Amino acid sequence: MTVRATDRPLTRLEAAQAQAGHVLGARRAKRIAVFGNGALYVKADTMTQVMSWLIDFVVCLFAVAVGVVALSVVDRAVTLSGGALAGAALSWFVLVPVLYGLCYGNGRALGGVLTGTQLVCVKDGSRIGVKACWAMLVRTLFMPVLFVVLMVSAFSTGSSGTPGSLVRTGIDPDATRRLNAAGIR
C-alpha cells in the first residue's frame, strides 16, 4: 500500500479521486485517470475489459467458423484447389475482425455493449472511428499472441511490464458521465 506524504498537497488526480468517492464509490474513484488533454475519465476495470475482449473474440471466431463452413459448401459445389481453399480460409481470420471493427467505429462493439465499456483514444477520449477496424484486428488476432508473449516474458524475466504506450483504452462511460455531471474535472 502506498501512503501519501502529509507534507505535500494533493495532486489534481488525487483530489478528484477523493472528491469522487461519494459520487462513484471508492472502487470506481480509484480508477479515475487523465486523458492526454487533461480531461478526467473512469477506466474500466480489468475483468470487464477482459470480458469485453473475450466476447468480441468469440463473435469473430464464430464468424470465421461460419465463413469456413461457407467455403466448404462452395468447395463441394465448385471444387477449389487446396491452396485456394486454404488461402481463403486463412483470409477469414483477417477479414472478419476488420469488417467487425468497421461496423463499430464508436468504440462500442458487442463486447463493449454487453459489458458497459467503450474503447476510446487515450490522447483526448474521442471515438476511435475508422481506426476501429485496426483496433479490432489487434484485439482479436494479436491479443492471444501478445498474451502468450507476456506470460513467457513474465516467467522468464519476473516482470509483467509492457513496453510502449497505449493509444486506446477502455473506459466506463456511465461512471465517466456521472463524474462529469458531478462537476469533478
Short mmCIF file of all heavy atoms in Angstrom, two decimals, residues 78-138:
data_model
loop_
_atom_site.label_atom_id
_atom_site.label_comp_id
_atom_site.label_asym_id
_atom_site.label_seq_id
_atom_site.Cartn_x
_atom_site.Cartn_y
_atom_site.Cartn_z
N VAL A 78 -17.98 -26.34 -56.35
CA VAL A 78 -17.07 -25.87 -57.39
C VAL A 78 -15.77 -26.64 -57.43
O VAL A 78 -15.11 -26.69 -58.45
CB VAL A 78 -16.78 -24.35 -57.19
CG1 VAL A 78 -15.85 -23.81 -58.26
CG2 VAL A 78 -18.05 -23.56 -57.15
N THR A 79 -15.35 -27.24 -56.36
CA THR A 79 -14.09 -27.94 -56.18
C THR A 79 -12.91 -26.99 -56.39
O THR A 79 -12.31 -26.94 -57.46
CB THR A 79 -13.97 -29.16 -57.12
OG1 THR A 79 -15.15 -29.94 -57.03
CG2 THR A 79 -12.78 -30.01 -56.74
N LEU A 80 -12.61 -26.25 -55.35
CA LEU A 80 -11.48 -25.33 -55.36
C LEU A 80 -10.18 -26.09 -55.15
O LEU A 80 -10.18 -27.17 -54.57
CB LEU A 80 -11.64 -24.29 -54.24
CG LEU A 80 -12.88 -23.40 -54.30
CD1 LEU A 80 -13.01 -22.60 -53.02
CD2 LEU A 80 -12.80 -22.47 -55.49
N SER A 81 -9.08 -25.50 -55.59
CA SER A 81 -7.79 -26.15 -55.35
C SER A 81 -7.46 -26.03 -53.86
O SER A 81 -7.96 -25.16 -53.15
CB SER A 81 -6.70 -25.48 -56.19
OG SER A 81 -6.43 -24.19 -55.69
N GLY A 82 -6.60 -26.91 -53.39
CA GLY A 82 -6.24 -26.92 -51.97
C GLY A 82 -5.63 -25.62 -51.50
O GLY A 82 -5.92 -25.13 -50.41
N GLY A 83 -4.75 -25.04 -52.32
CA GLY A 83 -4.11 -23.78 -51.96
C GLY A 83 -5.10 -22.62 -51.90
O GLY A 83 -5.03 -21.77 -51.01
N ALA A 84 -6.02 -22.59 -52.85
CA ALA A 84 -7.02 -21.51 -52.86
C ALA A 84 -7.96 -21.64 -51.67
O ALA A 84 -8.32 -20.64 -51.04
CB ALA A 84 -7.82 -21.55 -54.16
N LEU A 85 -8.33 -22.87 -51.36
CA LEU A 85 -9.22 -23.10 -50.22
C LEU A 85 -8.53 -22.72 -48.90
O LEU A 85 -9.12 -22.03 -48.06
CB LEU A 85 -9.66 -24.56 -50.18
CG LEU A 85 -10.68 -24.92 -49.11
CD1 LEU A 85 -11.98 -24.16 -49.33
CD2 LEU A 85 -10.95 -26.41 -49.12
N ALA A 86 -7.28 -23.11 -48.74
CA ALA A 86 -6.54 -22.78 -47.51
C ALA A 86 -6.31 -21.27 -47.41
O ALA A 86 -6.47 -20.69 -46.33
CB ALA A 86 -5.19 -23.51 -47.49
N GLY A 87 -5.95 -20.64 -48.51
CA GLY A 87 -5.75 -19.18 -48.51
C GLY A 87 -7.03 -18.43 -48.19
O GLY A 87 -7.02 -17.47 -47.42
N ALA A 88 -8.14 -18.87 -48.76
CA ALA A 88 -9.42 -18.22 -48.47
C ALA A 88 -9.82 -18.43 -47.02
O ALA A 88 -10.32 -17.50 -46.37
CB ALA A 88 -10.50 -18.76 -49.41
N ALA A 89 -9.60 -19.62 -46.48
CA ALA A 89 -9.94 -19.89 -45.08
C ALA A 89 -9.09 -19.05 -44.14
O ALA A 89 -9.59 -18.48 -43.17
CB ALA A 89 -9.77 -21.38 -44.77
N LEU A 90 -7.80 -18.92 -44.43
CA LEU A 90 -6.92 -18.10 -43.59
C LEU A 90 -7.24 -16.61 -43.70
O LEU A 90 -7.09 -15.87 -42.73
CB LEU A 90 -5.46 -18.34 -43.94
CG LEU A 90 -4.89 -19.69 -43.49
CD1 LEU A 90 -3.47 -19.87 -44.00
CD2 LEU A 90 -4.94 -19.83 -41.98
N SER A 91 -7.70 -16.19 -44.87
CA SER A 91 -8.04 -14.77 -45.03
C SER A 91 -9.23 -14.37 -44.16
O SER A 91 -9.36 -13.21 -43.79
CB SER A 91 -8.31 -14.44 -46.49
OG SER A 91 -9.52 -15.05 -46.92
N TRP A 92 -10.09 -15.32 -43.82
CA TRP A 92 -11.22 -15.01 -42.93
C TRP A 92 -10.73 -14.52 -41.58
O TRP A 92 -11.39 -13.70 -40.94
CB TRP A 92 -12.11 -16.25 -42.75
CG TRP A 92 -13.06 -16.46 -43.88
CD1 TRP A 92 -12.96 -17.41 -44.84
CD2 TRP A 92 -14.24 -15.71 -44.17
NE1 TRP A 92 -14.00 -17.30 -45.72
CE2 TRP A 92 -14.81 -16.26 -45.32
CE3 TRP A 92 -14.87 -14.63 -43.57
CZ2 TRP A 92 -15.98 -15.77 -45.88
CZ3 TRP A 92 -16.03 -14.14 -44.13
CH2 TRP A 92 -16.56 -14.71 -45.27
N PHE A 93 -9.58 -15.02 -41.10
CA PHE A 93 -9.06 -14.62 -39.80
C PHE A 93 -8.66 -13.14 -39.77
O PHE A 93 -8.61 -12.54 -38.70
CB PHE A 93 -7.85 -15.48 -39.39
CG PHE A 93 -8.25 -16.84 -38.92
CD1 PHE A 93 -8.18 -17.93 -39.77
CD2 PHE A 93 -8.69 -17.03 -37.62
CE1 PHE A 93 -8.54 -19.19 -39.33
CE2 PHE A 93 -9.07 -18.28 -37.17
CZ PHE A 93 -8.99 -19.36 -38.03
N VAL A 94 -8.34 -12.58 -40.93
CA VAL A 94 -8.01 -11.16 -41.02
C VAL A 94 -9.23 -10.34 -41.43
O VAL A 94 -9.50 -9.27 -40.88
CB VAL A 94 -6.84 -10.93 -42.00
CG1 VAL A 94 -6.57 -9.46 -42.21
CG2 VAL A 94 -5.60 -11.65 -41.52
N LEU A 95 -9.99 -10.85 -42.37
CA LEU A 95 -11.13 -10.12 -42.94
C LEU A 95 -12.25 -9.91 -41.92
O LEU A 95 -12.80 -8.81 -41.83
CB LEU A 95 -11.66 -10.87 -44.16
CG LEU A 95 -12.75 -10.18 -44.95
CD1 LEU A 95 -12.22 -8.88 -45.54
CD2 LEU A 95 -13.25 -11.09 -46.06
N VAL A 96 -12.59 -10.92 -41.15
CA VAL A 96 -13.71 -10.81 -40.21
C VAL A 96 -13.46 -9.74 -39.15
O VAL A 96 -14.32 -8.87 -38.94
CB VAL A 96 -14.02 -12.19 -39.58
CG1 VAL A 96 -14.93 -12.05 -38.37
CG2 VAL A 96 -14.67 -13.10 -40.61
N PRO A 97 -12.32 -9.71 -38.45
CA PRO A 97 -12.12 -8.64 -37.47
C PRO A 97 -12.12 -7.24 -38.08
O PRO A 97 -12.62 -6.29 -37.47
CB PRO A 97 -10.76 -8.95 -36.84
CG PRO A 97 -10.54 -10.38 -37.09
CD PRO A 97 -11.23 -10.69 -38.38
N VAL A 98 -11.58 -7.10 -39.28
CA VAL A 98 -11.56 -5.80 -39.93
C VAL A 98 -12.99 -5.34 -40.23
O VAL A 98 -13.37 -4.20 -39.93
CB VAL A 98 -10.70 -5.83 -41.21
CG1 VAL A 98 -10.89 -4.57 -42.04
CG2 VAL A 98 -9.24 -6.01 -40.85
N LEU A 99 -13.80 -6.21 -40.80
CA LEU A 99 -15.20 -5.85 -41.08
C LEU A 99 -15.99 -5.61 -39.80
O LEU A 99 -16.80 -4.68 -39.72
CB LEU A 99 -15.86 -6.94 -41.92
CG LEU A 99 -15.34 -7.08 -43.34
CD1 LEU A 99 -15.99 -8.27 -44.04
CD2 LEU A 99 -15.57 -5.80 -44.13
N TYR A 100 -15.76 -6.41 -38.79
CA TYR A 100 -16.42 -6.25 -37.49
C TYR A 100 -16.03 -4.90 -36.88
O TYR A 100 -16.88 -4.18 -36.35
CB TYR A 100 -16.02 -7.41 -36.58
CG TYR A 100 -16.69 -7.45 -35.23
CD1 TYR A 100 -18.06 -7.54 -35.10
CD2 TYR A 100 -15.93 -7.43 -34.06
CE1 TYR A 100 -18.66 -7.60 -33.85
CE2 TYR A 100 -16.51 -7.50 -32.81
CZ TYR A 100 -17.89 -7.58 -32.71
OH TYR A 100 -18.49 -7.64 -31.49
N GLY A 101 -14.79 -4.53 -36.98
CA GLY A 101 -14.32 -3.24 -36.45
C GLY A 101 -14.89 -2.06 -37.22
O GLY A 101 -15.20 -1.02 -36.63
N LEU A 102 -15.06 -2.19 -38.53
CA LEU A 102 -15.64 -1.10 -39.32
C LEU A 102 -17.08 -0.81 -38.91
O LEU A 102 -17.54 0.32 -39.01
CB LEU A 102 -15.59 -1.43 -40.81
CG LEU A 102 -14.24 -1.24 -41.48
CD1 LEU A 102 -14.29 -1.72 -42.93
CD2 LEU A 102 -13.80 0.21 -41.41
N CYS A 103 -17.77 -1.82 -38.44
CA CYS A 103 -19.16 -1.64 -38.01
C CYS A 103 -19.27 -0.94 -36.67
O CYS A 103 -20.34 -0.47 -36.31
CB CYS A 103 -19.86 -2.99 -37.93
SG CYS A 103 -20.03 -3.80 -39.52
N TYR A 104 -18.19 -0.88 -35.91
CA TYR A 104 -18.24 -0.35 -34.56
C TYR A 104 -17.19 0.73 -34.33
O TYR A 104 -16.41 0.67 -33.39
CB TYR A 104 -18.07 -1.48 -33.54
CG TYR A 104 -19.19 -2.48 -33.63
CD1 TYR A 104 -18.99 -3.71 -34.22
CD2 TYR A 104 -20.45 -2.16 -33.16
CE1 TYR A 104 -20.01 -4.62 -34.32
CE2 TYR A 104 -21.49 -3.07 -33.27
CZ TYR A 104 -21.27 -4.29 -33.84
OH TYR A 104 -22.30 -5.17 -33.96
N GLY A 105 -17.19 1.75 -35.16
CA GLY A 105 -16.23 2.85 -35.05
C GLY A 105 -16.43 3.72 -33.83
O GLY A 105 -15.58 4.52 -33.48
N ASN A 106 -17.58 3.58 -33.15
CA ASN A 106 -17.81 4.40 -31.96
C ASN A 106 -17.19 3.78 -30.72
O ASN A 106 -17.35 4.30 -29.62
CB ASN A 106 -19.30 4.64 -31.74
CG ASN A 106 -20.05 3.38 -31.39
OD1 ASN A 106 -19.52 2.27 -31.45
ND2 ASN A 106 -21.31 3.53 -31.02
N GLY A 107 -16.49 2.65 -30.88
CA GLY A 107 -15.81 2.01 -29.75
C GLY A 107 -16.70 1.10 -28.94
O GLY A 107 -16.29 0.63 -27.89
N ARG A 108 -17.92 0.86 -29.39
CA ARG A 108 -18.84 0.02 -28.65
C ARG A 108 -19.22 -1.20 -29.50
O ARG A 108 -20.32 -1.28 -30.01
CB ARG A 108 -20.11 0.80 -28.27
CG ARG A 108 -19.92 2.02 -27.48
CD ARG A 108 -19.86 1.94 -25.99
NE ARG A 108 -20.59 0.99 -25.26
CZ ARG A 108 -21.61 1.27 -24.45
NH1 ARG A 108 -22.06 2.49 -24.36
NH2 ARG A 108 -22.17 0.33 -23.75
N ALA A 109 -18.30 -2.12 -29.64
CA ALA A 109 -18.60 -3.39 -30.30
C ALA A 109 -19.50 -4.19 -29.37
O ALA A 109 -19.84 -3.74 -28.27
CB ALA A 109 -17.30 -4.14 -30.59
N LEU A 110 -19.90 -5.34 -29.78
CA LEU A 110 -20.82 -6.15 -28.98
C LEU A 110 -20.27 -6.39 -27.58
O LEU A 110 -20.99 -6.31 -26.59
CB LEU A 110 -21.11 -7.48 -29.69
CG LEU A 110 -22.15 -8.36 -29.03
CD1 LEU A 110 -23.49 -7.63 -28.92
CD2 LEU A 110 -22.31 -9.65 -29.80
N GLY A 111 -18.97 -6.65 -27.48
CA GLY A 111 -18.35 -6.85 -26.16
C GLY A 111 -18.48 -5.62 -25.29
O GLY A 111 -18.77 -5.70 -24.09
N GLY A 112 -18.29 -4.44 -25.86
CA GLY A 112 -18.42 -3.19 -25.11
C GLY A 112 -19.86 -2.91 -24.70
O GLY A 112 -20.12 -2.43 -23.60
N VAL A 113 -20.79 -3.22 -25.57
CA VAL A 113 -22.21 -3.00 -25.26
C VAL A 113 -22.64 -3.92 -24.11
O VAL A 113 -23.30 -3.48 -23.16
CB VAL A 113 -23.09 -3.23 -26.50
CG1 VAL A 113 -24.57 -3.25 -26.14
CG2 VAL A 113 -22.82 -2.17 -27.55
N LEU A 114 -22.25 -5.18 -24.17
CA LEU A 114 -22.66 -6.13 -23.14
C LEU A 114 -21.98 -5.90 -21.80
O LEU A 114 -22.56 -6.20 -20.75
CB LEU A 114 -22.41 -7.57 -23.61
CG LEU A 114 -23.28 -8.03 -24.79
CD1 LEU A 114 -22.88 -9.43 -25.22
CD2 LEU A 114 -24.75 -7.97 -24.43
N THR A 115 -20.77 -5.36 -21.81
CA THR A 115 -20.06 -5.12 -20.54
C THR A 115 -20.14 -3.67 -20.07
O THR A 115 -19.66 -3.36 -18.99
CB THR A 115 -18.57 -5.51 -20.68
OG1 THR A 115 -17.97 -4.73 -21.72
CG2 THR A 115 -18.41 -6.99 -20.95
N GLY A 116 -20.71 -2.79 -20.88
CA GLY A 116 -20.84 -1.39 -20.47
C GLY A 116 -19.55 -0.61 -20.56
O GLY A 116 -19.32 0.30 -19.78
N THR A 117 -18.68 -0.97 -21.50
CA THR A 117 -17.42 -0.26 -21.68
C THR A 117 -17.37 0.37 -23.06
O THR A 117 -18.21 0.09 -23.92
CB THR A 117 -16.21 -1.20 -21.53
OG1 THR A 117 -16.27 -2.20 -22.55
CG2 THR A 117 -16.17 -1.84 -20.16
N GLN A 118 -16.39 1.22 -23.28
CA GLN A 118 -16.18 1.84 -24.57
C GLN A 118 -14.69 1.99 -24.80
O GLN A 118 -13.95 2.35 -23.88
CB GLN A 118 -16.87 3.21 -24.64
CG GLN A 118 -16.77 3.86 -25.98
CD GLN A 118 -17.60 5.14 -26.05
OE1 GLN A 118 -18.20 5.56 -25.07
NE2 GLN A 118 -17.63 5.75 -27.20
N LEU A 119 -14.24 1.73 -26.01
CA LEU A 119 -12.85 1.89 -26.38
C LEU A 119 -12.68 3.29 -26.96
O LEU A 119 -13.41 3.67 -27.87
CB LEU A 119 -12.47 0.83 -27.41
CG LEU A 119 -11.00 0.55 -27.63
CD1 LEU A 119 -10.37 0.01 -26.36
CD2 LEU A 119 -10.82 -0.47 -28.75
N VAL A 120 -11.77 4.09 -26.39
CA VAL A 120 -11.56 5.47 -26.83
C VAL A 120 -10.07 5.75 -27.00
O VAL A 120 -9.23 4.99 -26.52
CB VAL A 120 -12.16 6.49 -25.82
CG1 VAL A 120 -13.67 6.35 -25.72
CG2 VAL A 120 -11.51 6.36 -24.46
N CYS A 121 -9.75 6.87 -27.64
CA CYS A 121 -8.36 7.31 -27.79
C CYS A 121 -7.85 7.87 -26.47
O CYS A 121 -8.54 8.64 -25.81
CB CYS A 121 -8.25 8.38 -28.87
SG CYS A 121 -8.67 7.79 -30.51
N VAL A 122 -6.64 7.50 -26.08
CA VAL A 122 -6.06 7.94 -24.82
C VAL A 122 -5.72 9.43 -24.85
O VAL A 122 -5.80 10.11 -23.83
CB VAL A 122 -4.80 7.11 -24.48
CG1 VAL A 122 -4.05 7.69 -23.30
CG2 VAL A 122 -5.17 5.69 -24.20
N LYS A 123 -5.39 9.96 -26.01
CA LYS A 123 -4.96 11.35 -26.07
C LYS A 123 -6.06 12.34 -25.70
O LYS A 123 -5.79 13.36 -25.09
CB LYS A 123 -4.37 11.69 -27.43
CG LYS A 123 -5.37 11.66 -28.56
CD LYS A 123 -4.74 12.04 -29.88
CE LYS A 123 -5.82 11.97 -30.95
NZ LYS A 123 -5.34 12.32 -32.25
N ASP A 124 -7.34 12.04 -26.06
CA ASP A 124 -8.39 13.02 -25.80
C ASP A 124 -9.76 12.40 -25.49
O ASP A 124 -10.73 13.13 -25.31
CB ASP A 124 -8.52 13.99 -26.96
CG ASP A 124 -8.84 13.30 -28.28
OD1 ASP A 124 -9.00 12.06 -28.30
OD2 ASP A 124 -8.91 14.00 -29.30
N GLY A 125 -9.86 11.10 -25.45
CA GLY A 125 -11.13 10.45 -25.15
C GLY A 125 -12.10 10.40 -26.32
O GLY A 125 -13.27 10.05 -26.15
N SER A 126 -11.63 10.71 -27.51
CA SER A 126 -12.51 10.71 -28.68
C SER A 126 -12.75 9.28 -29.17
O SER A 126 -12.04 8.34 -28.79
CB SER A 126 -11.90 11.55 -29.80
OG SER A 126 -10.67 10.98 -30.23
N ARG A 127 -13.76 9.15 -30.01
CA ARG A 127 -14.06 7.84 -30.60
C ARG A 127 -12.91 7.42 -31.50
O ARG A 127 -12.21 8.25 -32.06
CB ARG A 127 -15.35 7.93 -31.41
CG ARG A 127 -16.54 8.21 -30.55
CD ARG A 127 -17.79 8.31 -31.38
NE ARG A 127 -18.92 8.47 -30.48
CZ ARG A 127 -20.17 8.42 -30.84
NH1 ARG A 127 -20.47 8.23 -32.11
NH2 ARG A 127 -21.13 8.56 -29.98
N ILE A 128 -12.77 6.11 -31.65
CA ILE A 128 -11.64 5.64 -32.45
C ILE A 128 -11.91 5.67 -33.93
O ILE A 128 -11.00 5.62 -34.73
CB ILE A 128 -11.18 4.23 -32.00
CG1 ILE A 128 -12.31 3.25 -32.01
CG2 ILE A 128 -10.54 4.30 -30.65
CD1 ILE A 128 -11.90 1.85 -31.65
N GLY A 129 -13.17 5.77 -34.35
CA GLY A 129 -13.54 5.98 -35.74
C GLY A 129 -13.06 4.90 -36.68
O GLY A 129 -13.16 3.71 -36.40
N VAL A 130 -12.50 5.32 -37.82
CA VAL A 130 -12.09 4.39 -38.87
C VAL A 130 -10.98 3.45 -38.40
O VAL A 130 -10.85 2.35 -38.90
CB VAL A 130 -11.63 5.18 -40.12
CG1 VAL A 130 -11.18 4.25 -41.23
CG2 VAL A 130 -12.75 6.08 -40.62
N LYS A 131 -10.23 3.86 -37.41
CA LYS A 131 -9.16 3.00 -36.89
C LYS A 131 -9.72 1.82 -36.11
O LYS A 131 -8.97 0.96 -35.65
CB LYS A 131 -8.22 3.81 -36.00
CG LYS A 131 -7.45 4.87 -36.77
CD LYS A 131 -6.56 5.65 -35.85
CE LYS A 131 -5.85 6.75 -36.61
NZ LYS A 131 -5.06 7.59 -35.74
N ALA A 132 -11.05 1.76 -35.96
CA ALA A 132 -11.67 0.66 -35.22
C ALA A 132 -11.39 -0.68 -35.89
O ALA A 132 -11.26 -1.69 -35.21
CB ALA A 132 -13.18 0.87 -35.10
N CYS A 133 -11.28 -0.68 -37.21
CA CYS A 133 -11.01 -1.95 -37.89
C CYS A 133 -9.63 -2.48 -37.49
O CYS A 133 -9.46 -3.66 -37.24
CB CYS A 133 -11.14 -1.82 -39.40
SG CYS A 133 -10.06 -0.60 -40.14
N TRP A 134 -8.64 -1.58 -37.40
CA TRP A 134 -7.31 -1.98 -36.97
C TRP A 134 -7.33 -2.40 -35.51
O TRP A 134 -6.73 -3.41 -35.13
CB TRP A 134 -6.32 -0.85 -37.20
CG TRP A 134 -4.98 -1.12 -36.61
CD1 TRP A 134 -4.41 -0.46 -35.57
CD2 TRP A 134 -4.04 -2.12 -36.99
NE1 TRP A 134 -3.17 -0.99 -35.28
CE2 TRP A 134 -2.92 -2.01 -36.14
CE3 TRP A 134 -4.03 -3.10 -37.96
CZ2 TRP A 134 -1.82 -2.84 -36.24
CZ3 TRP A 134 -2.92 -3.93 -38.06
CH2 TRP A 134 -1.84 -3.80 -37.21
N ALA A 135 -8.03 -1.65 -34.67
CA ALA A 135 -8.11 -1.98 -33.24
C ALA A 135 -8.75 -3.34 -33.04
O ALA A 135 -8.30 -4.14 -32.21
CB ALA A 135 -8.90 -0.90 -32.49
N MET A 136 -9.79 -3.64 -33.80
CA MET A 136 -10.46 -4.94 -33.66
C MET A 136 -9.55 -6.07 -34.16
O MET A 136 -9.52 -7.14 -33.56
CB MET A 136 -11.78 -4.94 -34.42
CG MET A 136 -12.65 -6.12 -34.08
SD MET A 136 -13.08 -6.26 -32.34
CE MET A 136 -14.14 -4.86 -32.14
N LEU A 137 -8.81 -5.83 -35.22
CA LEU A 137 -7.87 -6.84 -35.70
C LEU A 137 -6.82 -7.12 -34.64
O LEU A 137 -6.51 -8.28 -34.35
CB LEU A 137 -7.21 -6.37 -37.00
CG LEU A 137 -6.20 -7.34 -37.62
CD1 LEU A 137 -6.89 -8.61 -38.07
CD2 LEU A 137 -5.48 -6.68 -38.78
N VAL A 138 -6.30 -6.07 -34.03
CA VAL A 138 -5.30 -6.24 -32.97
C VAL A 138 -5.92 -6.99 -31.79
O VAL A 138 -5.31 -7.92 -31.25
CB VAL A 138 -4.74 -4.88 -32.53
CG1 VAL A 138 -3.94 -5.00 -31.26
CG2 VAL A 138 -3.89 -4.29 -33.64
#
